[in-house]
Amino acid sequence: MDNFTFYSPTYFVFGRETENQTATYVKQFGGKKVLIHYGGGSVVRSGLLARVKKSLDAEKIPYVELGGAEPNPKSGLVYKGIELARKEKIDFVLGVGGGSAIDSAKAIAFGALYDGDFWDFYKGKPVTEAIPVGCVLALAGTGTEGSTDSVITHEDGMYKRCADGDCIRPKFAIMNPELTTTLPPYQTASGIADIMAHSMERLFSKTRDVEITDRLLEAVLLTMVKEGRRVIKDPSNYEARANIMWAGMIAHNNVTGVGRAQDWGTHHMENELSTTYGCSHGAGLAILFPPGWNMRLGQRMSPALSSSRPASGAAR
């Protein structure tokens, strides 16, 4: 096992109706004026946004709103959010929705404190300072609710890049699996593919004697095989949704990746695929991973995973 440092301070609030506690955690982490950043669509139709605002209203926490986040979030909305955050003197950014809204919220949070172009951080500048970020998760898959990462596409050239820093791990993440039960099957499957990809990018490593993280990664993958089938058959299955949502966080806060080399080549290739063709990130990964999986199958596949594979000719 290689030397490593690991810092993961996010406070997780998991379970039914937890979004109604949003204001409690905004206050706990010092928020006095909030920028609520979200996409629209289901977040509005489901009443989730209204419940979050009701929670803040009850605690008399002022807020401003910025909707419009979309899959593969774009730089234009980030620039708008930075300007709004500065104008309104925001001291807390709350991402509500899926990974796109949360990634964009993170970019606004560090961009608002930086005198230059926020895109500098997506070109390699270390992220060391940000307005505190929290999130209410409505889609399992990206793991951004517990990670140091933010992925944004710059519209001038359509470059999709990642910025990274411990300061943009959310202070809290509210995770209610019920919020995912109305997702279309395509989005559910894309999220599961992303979770599996986050695990495989870490599992296929040349680092030796990393037994504990090997086994944790296998557990995530086996869980996705089981719960993915269950939730596609019964989208309202709360327990399956709960296991998938928590696995999404475990797969990408890097607890499964410490002390081992990681290979993110497939993710980087997919960034170009989704930028060019507009597919979901998970769908792009599902296309790209089988060749890599087959190439590495004999190198790193454990007996536990090997025994889970269907027999030749069996239904998949």
Side-chain angles (χ1 to χ4, degrees):
M1 184 181 290
D2 299 332
N3 292 357
F4 66 87
T5 60
F6 182 61
Y7 178 67
S8 183
T10 304
Y11 195 106
F12 296 103
V13 187
F14 193 98
R16 293 181 171 92
E17 300 182 357
T18 47
E19 66 272 18
N20 297 323
Q21 304 172 41
T22 301
T24 298
Y25 295 99
V26 170
K27 286 179 67 175
Q28 179 174 322
F29 291 99
K32 295 182 176 62
K33 189 169 186 182
V34 178
L35 171 60
I36 305 174
H37 185 44
Y38 58 94
S42 62
V43 170
V44 176
R45 291 192 302 271
S46 68
L48 172 59
L49 181 62
R51 293 192 296 276
V52 168
K53 292 194 290 185
K54 182 179 178 180
S55 174
L56 294 170
D57 287 337
E59 293 293 337
K60 296 181 171 54
I61 299 174
Y63 56 83
V64 296
E65 301 177 43
L66 178 64
E70 56 187 22
N72 303 311
K74 306 297 191 298
S75 58
L77 193 60
V78 174
Y79 286 118
K80 185 176 179 180
I82 290 169
E83 182 180 353
L84 182 62
R86 290 172 176 168
K87 177 183 175 182
E88 297 291 338
K89 296 181 170 52
I90 295 300
D91 64 8
F92 199 94
V93 183
L94 181 67
V96 179
S100 296
I102 299 169
D103 276 10
S104 190
K106 290 178 176 181
I108 293 167
F110 58 74
L113 298 183
Y114 180 56
D115 290 336
D117 187 342
F118 89 94
W119 192 249
D120 291 344
F121 297 100
Y122 293 85
K123 294 192 292 185
K125 184 178 177 67
V127 182
T128 59
E129 183 182 22
I131 296 171
V133 177
C135 65
V136 181
L137 185 67
L139 191 154
T142 69
T144 192
E145 67 275 7
S147 82
T148 64
D149 304 332
S150 166
V151 179
I152 300 292
T153 299
H154 202 294
E155 288 153 300
D156 184 7
M158 295 303 288
Y159 297 108
K160 187 175 182 180
R161 300 290 184 268
C162 178
D164 177 275
D166 279 325
C167 65
I168 57 172
R169 286 190 193 267
K171 299 299 182 184
F172 68 84
I174 289 175
M175 304 172 69
N176 176 2
E178 287 182 317
L179 300 176
T180 68
T181 58
T182 58
L183 292 171
Y186 175 82
Q187 285 189 302
T188 296
S190 291
I192 290 169
D194 200 7
I195 293 168
M196 297 183 80
H198 289 157
S199 299
M200 289 187 285
E201 298 275 29
R202 293 173 168 93
L203 181 61
F204 296 133
S205 170
K206 293 184 179 181
T207 307
R208 296 183 178 275
D209 296 320
V210 282
E211 187 76 7
I212 181 62
T213 46
D214 275 352
R215 299 297 168 255
L216 290 171
L217 289 161
E218 290 160 7
V220 171
L221 288 166
L222 290 169
T223 297
M224 292 304 95
V225 171
K226 176 184 176 182
E227 302 295 33
R229 290 169 175 164
R230 282 215 297 171
V231 82
I232 293 299
K233 289 180 180 178
D234 179 10
S236 65
N237 187 319
Y238 177 86
E239 299 303 334
R241 292 281 184 184
N243 281 312
I244 291 168
M245 181 171 272
W246 190 242
M249 195 289 299
I250 292 293
H252 203 44
N253 82 331
N254 207 38
V255 69
T256 57
V258 294
R260 61 193 298 145
Q262 301 178 26
D263 178 2
W264 291 93
T266 307
H267 258 75
H268 294 155
M269 285 191 288
E270 198 295 316
N271 286 345
E272 305 306 318
L273 192 65
S274 54
T275 299
T276 302
Y277 297 104
C279 62
S280 79
H281 181 54
L285 289 167
I287 292 168
L288 292 173
F289 252 98
W293 175 274
N294 290 331
M295 180 178 67
R296 298 173 175 90
L297 197 58
Q299 300 174 20
R300 293 292 292 150
M301 196 167 200
S302 74
L305 281 173
S306 191
S307 65
S308 73
R309 296 178 68 207
S312 178
R316 287 170 169 80

